Amino acid sequence: MGAKDQPRSQRGARQPRSPWLIPILLGLLPGVAGADRGVPFDYQVHSRVQGGEREGQPRLILVPQRTAADVALSLRREDGRRFQFTAARLPAQEPREFSWTQPLGRQVYDAALTATNLQGETATRRFRFEVLVVPPLEVRVVAEELDVEQRLLVFTASRPVSRVELDLRYAPDGRLDHPVTFAPPAPAGQPLRVPWPPLPGAVQRIGMRVHDTEGFWTEAEFLAWWVEVEHEEVAFDTGRATFDARERVKLARLAQRVGELAATVPAGVPLQLYVAGYTDTVDTTEHNQRLSLARAAAIGRALRAAGSTLPIRCQGFGEEVLAVATADEVDEPRNRRAVVLLGTAPPPRSGLLPRAGWRSLEALP
């Protein structure tokens, strides 16, 4: 089958800093007693915060226009919680950040800021602001439907999506090219199908940035790579998933070849082995399905015993995909085979791999 460009694997995701800042100049209102005293301040509130599963950390940044002493910031949240912050001295134009925790949701704060200038004059300013804390934006690619050849990416997001941006890296020079922006309506949790136009070359990497309706984004990178590992076919005992000791020499060579291929991949790229088993048409379809999975697992265990430390997943296709078309109950050795793939994520469905549902070797009986 040779090397193929296939999707995928989320290599990492980054959560951004909040894009929401509300800058306000705190000056004393006309007619307020002591309006000529104190220190004017600028402040910035991060009014949209992406937190954890239960809470987040709002931030308020104070910038005194002149040097201030005995600074006291008092916050009263609408749920009754109070927060107190103090600073003995704040130099002019030097930002000072204050942070606290807030549960998920929207809260309104009443703030009182007291400060003294170098002449010993003290004044208090009061203001109000609102903060929304949301859980992390999570994106999950539907691996079985990610198809580079058909130019289709399918994913779900934990919040409504406003925009998706794709960056596609192509072989052979690895250039980053052809940014694609896709902006459909996408409710939370519903699969979103993102196509891209036909372009020359083979996709090696798909970079994705997903924006939600609150102004946050997250990004992920998918490596579009897998390769079939050529090997000698193992001669199993008739109707069984066992083989004699002479066949282990073939599997030892296969394990060595897997190691050589894995060494060519940059460090940090997640790799997995996929072993697919097939049978001829002798016996029932149900029997052959079970037998093909058992034989795939036997190969996986032999690779593990030979020293392979990569995660191994197996699947059996029975007599569903014949290398040589035959009638029922035909003993055809070329149909009793296995395919071993090394890749960055489960390979997509194809004529050779017609179903998803790869199972971890450790989970098989």
Side-chain angles (χ1 to χ4, degrees):
M1 184 166 58
K4 297 284 186 181
D5 291 296
Q6 291 293 342
R8 302 91 48 175
S9 169
Q10 181 168 341
R11 196 170 77 182
R14 294 188 301 169
Q15 300 296 338
R17 288 176 290 182
S18 169
W20 296 97
L21 288 173
I22 299 180
I24 298 179
L25 174 65
L26 286 181
L28 291 180
L29 298 176
V32 176
D36 57 344
R37 303 199 307 267
V39 179
F41 280 82
D42 292 337
Y43 82 87
Q44 293 179 327
V45 174
H46 288 250
S47 64
R48 299 290 187 272
V49 176
Q50 187 163 238
E53 294 183 357
R54 296 184 177 181
E55 63 183 17
Q57 193 170 46
R59 292 182 293 154
L60 186 150
I61 301 173
L62 291 176
V63 184
Q65 298 301 301
R66 297 192 293 271
T67 298
D70 301 325
V71 178
L73 174 64
S74 174
L75 302 180
R76 183 183 183 280
R77 200 163 65 197
E78 61 180 329
D79 64 2
R81 285 291 306 276
R82 293 180 180 273
F83 304 91
Q84 301 288 336
F85 305 95
T86 59
R89 186 173 185 274
L90 293 182
Q93 302 298 326
E94 183 173 301
R96 177 67 61 89
E97 180 176 296
F98 302 92
S99 63
W100 61 97
T101 60
Q102 176 183 310
L104 299 179
R106 195 180 305 271
Q107 294 281 347
V108 175
Y109 293 81
D110 289 304
L113 175 62
T114 300
T116 301
N117 62 22
L118 296 181
Q119 289 72 43
E121 300 169 326
T122 301
T124 298
R125 289 121 171 119
R126 301 184 186 277
F127 55 101
R128 171 175 284 198
F129 60 89
E130 180 182 87
V131 175
L132 172 66
V133 176
V134 297
L137 175 59
E138 297 179 353
V139 171
R140 185 184 71 85
V141 170
V142 183
E144 294 82 1
E145 297 191 43
L146 181 55
D147 192 330
V148 169
E149 291 184 1
Q150 298 299 319
R151 304 182 305 279
L152 182 66
L153 178 91
V154 182
F155 74 93
T156 61
S158 59
R159 293 201 295 274
V161 172
S162 64
R163 188 170 81 258
V164 182
E165 298 166 352
L166 297 182
D167 281 319
L168 310 175
R169 189 180 296 272
Y170 283 83
D173 56 1
R175 69 189 185 281
L176 187 63
D177 204 357
H178 303 296
V180 177
T181 299
F182 190 62
Q190 293 190 12
L192 176 61
R193 304 170 70 85
V194 183
W196 64 87
L199 300 166
V203 174
Q204 290 185 327
R205 185 194 72 89
I206 302 174
M208 180 173 68
R209 178 176 290 190
V210 179
H211 298 256
D212 69 9
T213 54
E214 293 292 345
F216 295 99
W217 53 267
T218 188
E219 63 182 16
E221 182 178 78
F222 304 91
L223 300 178
W225 181 86
W226 62 261
V227 64
E228 182 179 345
V229 185
E230 295 183 0
H231 66 283
E232 302 168 83
E233 291 296 347
V234 175
F236 285 91
D237 298 328
T238 302
R240 302 173 64 87
T242 57
F243 46 81
D244 63 35
R246 291 173 297 181
E247 300 302 305
R248 293 191 179 277
V249 177
K250 299 178 182 178
L251 292 168
R253 287 196 287 263
L254 173 58
Q256 181 180 359
R257 178 57 179 155
V258 168
E260 292 170 352
L261 286 173
T264 66
V265 179
V269 175
L271 291 175
Q272 298 189 79
L273 275 174
Y274 301 89
V275 184
Y278 306 83
T279 69
D280 58 26
T281 59
V282 176
D283 217 309
T284 67
T285 300
E286 294 76 12
H287 171 83
N288 286 334
Q289 175 59 41
R290 292 191 299 270
L291 179 60
S292 64
L293 178 59
R295 286 178 170 175
I299 292 175
R301 293 189 180 101
L303 291 174
R304 180 73 75 234
S308 178
T309 59
L310 293 173
I312 299 176
R313 296 184 176 275
C314 303
Q315 188 168 183
F317 296 97
E319 59 185 72
E320 187 175 351
V321 183
L322 297 176
V324 178
T326 70
D328 197 19
E329 298 295 332
V330 174
D331 182 350
E332 172 52 68
R334 288 174 291 178
N335 286 330
R336 299 193 296 269
R337 70 202 194 280
V339 171
V340 179
L341 305 168
L342 177 67
T344 56
R349 289 172 291 185
S350 65
L352 185 66
L353 308 170
R355 296 191 308 277
W358 296 90
R359 299 172 62 184
S360 170
L361 176 65
E362 287 70 26
L364 294 173

